[in-house]
Amino acid sequence: MSLIDTNNFGVEPYKKLKENIIKKTIADFDKESNFPGLFDGVIESIWIIYELGEKELAKHLFYERFIDLLENSVTKNLYNGTAGVLLVGLYFISKVKLEDHEIHNYIIAKTEVFVKEYKENPDSFCKVGAGDVQSNDLYKNEGGLFYGHAGLGWLFGEAYRLTSNNLFKECLNVAIDTELKSYSNDSLGSLQYQQGKRLLPYLSTGSAG
């Protein structure tokens, strides 16, 4: 069942609601409060617009915004940084079949640069080991799927699937091994992310991810 049941809600009101959501989303793109990332920003919205069926609009927005979003990312994680922008870029390469070969080559090249820099110095991307700050603040988390090495591993895995470049596979393994340095066993023997004095099981910052 979809999030909006069009059988009860009506097809035309649903279309109108979708149009209004997309218009408001695009209007908000240029506000300073927006971020580029996969879970908090513009690249996420472009991906959602594509998934809502507005494929040509999403492609136009992608071509128009992608390079700027990537070049202005200030963090490197999946949640709100470079890894999330690149992941959506790889998605568009694999699913959308971009006609512009320059943007296709640009995305692959930037992902290769990203992974080489990671291989050289993983702890410059995000913290290695248990998180120092015990916080629920989305912008203070340091590990897990959304904020840590596991998310970078997701990017590297998708890049390997798309390109068969063994460098990505190698760094996927490095990312997972590095992520696991942040984990400890709880009283039941379950592996959990260590953040300050607590262990977390969540998708975003824990063992579920």
Side-chain angles (χ1 to χ4, degrees):
M1 181 177 177
S2 64
L3 293 177
I4 301 176
D5 188 344
T6 56
N7 290 323
N8 295 324
F9 187 71
V11 173
E12 289 305 317
Y14 166 73
K15 288 182 178 179
K16 189 65 175 179
L17 175 62
K18 184 175 78 170
E19 288 174 3
N20 288 338
I21 290 172
I22 291 173
K23 286 179 181 178
K24 185 179 186 306
T25 298
I26 295 172
D28 287 343
F29 277 0
D30 291 323
K31 290 183 178 178
E32 290 183 359
S33 59
N34 276 315
F35 296 92
L38 177 59
F39 289 103
D40 76 337
V42 172
I43 200 68
E44 170 196 36
S45 298
I46 293 172
W47 173 67
I48 289 174
I49 289 169
Y50 181 84
E51 290 297 320
L52 285 171
E54 299 298 328
K55 297 183 179 181
E56 290 304 314
L57 173 60
K59 285 172 66 174
H60 170 76
L61 293 169
F62 181 82
Y63 285 131
E64 181 181 69
R65 302 273 179 168
F66 180 82
I67 292 176
D68 184 63
L69 293 173
L70 187 63
E71 291 182 350
N72 286 286
S73 293
V74 296
T75 63
K76 296 179 179 179
N77 65 35
L78 197 69
Y79 185 84
N80 68 326
T82 304
V85 179
L86 286 172
L87 188 64
V88 175
L90 295 178
Y91 174 85
F92 269 74
I93 288 176
S94 63
K95 300 293 185 183
V96 184
K97 305 301 180 187
L98 301 175
E99 295 87 358
D100 187 338
H101 294 295
E102 287 190 14
I103 191 71
H104 180 286
N105 294 335
Y106 173 85
I107 293 166
I108 296 297
K110 286 293 185 180
T111 307
E112 287 181 353
V113 170
F114 189 81
V115 75
K116 287 176 182 177
E117 291 176 351
Y118 179 81
K119 183 181 180 181
E120 184 71 23
N121 192 10
D123 62 0
S124 69
F125 279 60
C126 44
K127 182 175 174 57
V128 176
D132 296 325
V133 179
Q134 186 168 306
S135 174
N136 294 324
D137 187 326
L138 300 176
Y139 297 98
K140 292 182 179 179
N141 285 315
E142 301 170 300
L145 182 64
F146 289 4
Y147 315 101
H149 297 272
L152 302 180
W154 181 5
L155 170 66
F156 302 154
E158 289 300 309
Y160 174 72
R161 184 178 62 82
L162 186 64
T163 66
S164 299
N165 184 336
N166 283 326
L167 175 64
F168 294 122
K169 183 179 180 180
E170 179 184 343
C171 284
L172 164 60
N173 291 326
V174 172
I176 298 306
D177 287 343
T178 305
E179 175 71 25
L180 289 175
K181 293 178 181 178
S182 311
Y183 289 68
S184 301
N185 288 320
D186 64 14
S187 59
L188 299 176
S190 177
L191 198 62
Q192 309 287 359
Y193 174 69
Q194 177 83 46
Q195 187 193 61
K197 296 181 179 180
R198 63 181 179 176
L199 297 175
L200 302 178
Y202 307 120
L203 178 71
S204 61
T205 51
S207 53

